[in-house]
Amino acid sequence: MKYFPIPPTLFSENRKRFVKKLKPNSLAVFNSNDIMPTNADGTMPFIQNSNLFYLSGIDQEESILVMFPDARNPAHREILFLKETDELIAIWEGHKYTKEEASAASGVSTIYWLSMFQSIFNTLMGECEYVYVDTNEHTRAKVEVETREARFVKKCLTQYPAHNYQRSAPIMHELRAIKSKTEVELIQQACNITEKGFRRLLNFVKPGVWEYEIEAELVHEFIRNRSRGFAYGPIIASGPNACVLHYVENNKQCKAGEVILLDVAAEYGNYASDLTRCLPVSGKFTKRQKAVYNAVLNVMKKATAMLKPGNKMDTYQDAVGKLMEEELVKLKLLKLRDVNRQDPANPLYKKYFMHGTSHYMGLDVHDLGSRNRVFEEGMVFTCEPGIYIPAEGLGIRLENDILITRKGPVDFMKNIPLEADEIEELMNSK
Ligand SMILES: [Mn+2]
């Protein structure tokens, strides 16, 4: 891991909050992600399962966390099963957690090697009544491969069909929606690294630069600051590419007069950040580009102010839509007359602003959390309105990450240049 050690209290507190939600005499199991294969003997870089990480801080494959608060043996109330290491394995496979290291990282005192799992798990299953298993219930998840967790659940159901099975997902959605102080610090660190990457671009973007050259600048800056790299596939979209919402090719040359949309951000310690900025390739926006930019910025500022306790996602999204409507009329993209006659179920602004304004962010970029939950202190949302005009080869989106507090929204990205004038000034300074 490139990141600095995270205080294990984050994970032990998370476990405490999790087990409080369990029915009496319950056991809960969380499995790590697999190392995904590519071709021949190639693999993708390992990304830990976010729920396992949230509850253990263990950042290694083939790890299992078992929690059983009512276990007869107090040493079995929290157990981590890890891939065995010794000096020989260290030479061949590199460093893996020792039992001492795993205990220090997680705050779990009972660490067993994976070879012990079957027999200990069998004993525990003989004692418990409810078994909480982890299913991916993210509303936008499209999972075609069978995860390690899914394989485990299948096996468990076959082996122990008469237990009472429960879902961990609703609990994880509830807990992970509210960020603790340490999590806020980790997200801030991810945002600070993102800022360094973005500032590097202000003097780098010039007519003729290629989108992938920008991508390379960013990843260089991210990794040298202890990030694993991008928190999600970077979108570096110049000119008309900005209207392709999930553009990931990043292979076009940027031309003078175009605006380049950058939806690019670093991860740190498995926590995401999520930034979008738009730069004029020549260092100066045209009058029209600036008008669209400022329309989006105006909506963003007003939307950010609405990210406060008590508000709800649906009413918030509707209110942002109204703001956007006004701006689109001013930009002469919509006619007031048509807006007044529009079908409320299908508002006209969606032609130019077709995505949501905000999503939860945390360990995952599109983090766990219910859309129907009233906003509370400790939630982290992005704020990312946009206007996309394919006919003008122009797409503008601006995005910051916001912490909801009782004293008002706290912007993790308040130091990242945002005003059009400031962007132009920095791009033209040496
Ligand atoms: Mn986003």
Side-chain angles (χ1 to χ4, degrees):
M1 287 78 82
K2 299 185 178 80
Y3 55 89
F4 287 110
I6 297 171
T9 43
L10 169 62
F11 311 112
S12 48
E13 289 298 319
N14 289 345
R15 288 194 297 278
K16 249 187 234 164
R17 295 197 292 145
F18 177 80
V19 297
K20 268 193 201 144
K21 306 276 178 189
L22 302 180
K23 294 174 188 291
N25 212 20
S26 289
L27 176 152
V29 191
F30 288 88
N31 279 269
S32 63
N33 280 343
D34 283 313
I35 296 179
M36 300 303 288
T38 53
N39 294 290
D41 63 348
T43 58
M44 290 185 158
F46 176 67
I47 308 279
Q48 186 54 291
N49 177 278
S50 299
N51 284 342
L52 178 72
F53 186 79
Y54 182 83
L55 295 167
S56 73
I58 292 297
D59 208 346
Q60 186 170 286
E61 72 282 5
E62 293 178 46
S63 308
I64 309 175
L65 172 68
V66 175
M67 286 170 283
F68 184 6
D70 299 325
R72 245 176 270 152
N73 178 354
H76 287 171
R77 286 174 190 163
E78 295 180 340
I79 313 173
L80 269 170
F81 294 89
L82 301 182
K83 189 173 171 161
E84 181 162 6
T85 189
D86 58 32
E87 281 173 30
L88 192 70
I89 293 170
I91 289 168
W92 283 91
E93 295 187 29
H95 180 263
K96 303 283 166 198
Y97 290 104
T98 64
K99 289 186 177 180
E100 294 71 26
E101 286 168 345
S103 207
S106 62
V108 174
S109 22
T110 306
I111 314 279
Y112 292 127
W113 298 133
L114 210 50
S115 52
M116 298 283 286
F117 180 76
Q118 219 23 268
S119 68
I120 291 173
F121 187 67
N122 194 49
T123 309
L124 298 179
M125 287 297 273
E127 288 179 37
C128 74
E129 190 179 343
Y130 297 98
V131 183
Y132 283 73
V133 292
D134 190 25
T135 42
N136 183 349
E137 299 183 17
H138 194 287
T139 47
R140 288 163 71 175
K142 269 187 255 146
V143 181
E144 296 210 25
V145 296
E146 194 174 43
T147 62
R148 196 176 179 83
E149 184 69 43
R151 291 199 303 276
F152 171 80
V153 172
K154 224 188 219 176
K155 202 173 146 200
C156 206
L157 283 164
T158 313
Q159 239 173 327
Y160 308 98
H163 276 74
N164 190 324
Y165 286 89
Q166 300 284 320
R167 295 147 63 214
S168 292
I171 305 176
M172 297 309 293
H173 279 251
E174 186 185 337
L175 296 181
R176 280 180 50 192
I178 308 290
K179 272 67 179 177
S180 64
K181 193 170 159 274
T182 306
E183 289 187 289
V184 166
E185 286 164 8
L186 289 163
I187 292 169
Q188 185 65 64
Q189 184 57 22
C191 292
N192 293 350
I193 297 171
T194 297
E195 177 182 357
K196 288 185 185 191
F198 177 70
R199 285 191 182 273
R200 203 180 157 102
L201 298 183
L202 291 166
N203 271 310
F204 181 78
V205 169
K206 300 262 177 328
V209 76
W210 291 78
E211 291 166 349
Y212 54 74
E213 292 181 283
I214 296 173
E215 183 175 341
E217 283 297 296
L218 287 166
V219 84
H220 174 100
E221 192 64 28
F222 291 171
I223 293 177
R224 71 196 287 260
N225 283 286
R226 292 180 174 269
S227 162
R228 184 174 65 218
F230 290 101
Y232 51 91
I235 299 169
I236 301 171
S238 57
N241 289 345
C243 297
V244 181
L245 294 182
H246 292 144
Y247 175 77
V248 289
E249 301 291 331
N250 302 344
N251 61 359
K252 178 184 160 296
Q253 198 171 24
C254 306
K255 307 232 160 60
E258 288 177 338
V259 170
I260 174 161
L261 183 152
L262 303 147
D263 190 340
V264 290
E267 74 79 49
Y268 176 77
N270 289 321
Y271 280 82
S273 61
D274 194 357
L275 173 85
T276 308
R277 288 291 184 272
C278 293
L279 300 178
V281 174
S282 345
K284 203 150 174 48
F285 291 105
T286 64
K287 210 175 150 205
R288 173 65 170 175
Q289 288 165 351
K290 199 177 261 189
V292 177
Y293 189 102
N294 284 333
V296 174
L297 181 57
N298 198 15
V299 173
M300 185 204 201
K301 286 177 180 170
K302 289 178 181 164
T304 301
M306 291 190 276
L307 289 171
K308 56 185 185 190
N311 214 343
K312 276 183 88 171
M313 190 57 91
D314 288 347
T315 41
Y316 164 77
Q317 182 64 33
D318 288 346
V320 175
K322 286 278 154 221
L323 295 170
M324 193 53 97
E325 234 161 54
E326 283 171 35
E327 297 294 342
L328 291 169
V329 170
K330 275 191 251 168
L331 291 169
K332 299 198 165 38
L333 290 165
L334 294 181
K335 290 197 182 93
L336 189 58
R337 192 165 31 111
D338 296 337
V339 169
N340 289 336
R341 287 187 309 203
Q342 72 188 355
D343 171 11
N346 200 8
L348 294 174
Y349 77 81
K350 291 197 174 175
K351 182 180 172 195
Y352 298 100
F353 175 41
M354 58 296 277
H355 56 78
T357 313
S358 295
H359 55 79
Y360 287 98
M361 196 199 71
L363 278 172
D364 292 298
V365 183
H366 297 160
D367 210 30
L368 302 191
S370 165
R371 267 190 71 85
N372 303 319
R373 187 165 169 186
V374 174
F375 295 169
E376 284 173 54
E377 181 160 69
M379 287 181 177
V380 172
F381 288 105
T382 62
C383 182
E384 49 178 312
I387 295 177
Y388 310 90
I389 322 170
E392 297 179 28
L394 177 66
I396 304 279
R397 177 167 66 252
L398 298 169
E399 173 177 32
N400 279 6
D401 305 333
I402 309 293
L403 172 67
I404 293 190
T405 80
R406 262 169 294 172
K407 291 178 195 154
V410 173
D411 192 336
F412 285 102
M413 294 177 153
K414 61 177 186 299
N415 296 328
I416 305 183
L418 177 62
E419 298 288 332
D421 292 341
E422 191 187 0
I423 297 273
E424 287 181 342
E425 209 178 290
L426 289 166
M427 287 185 77
N428 292 294
S429 66
K430 291 213 178 76

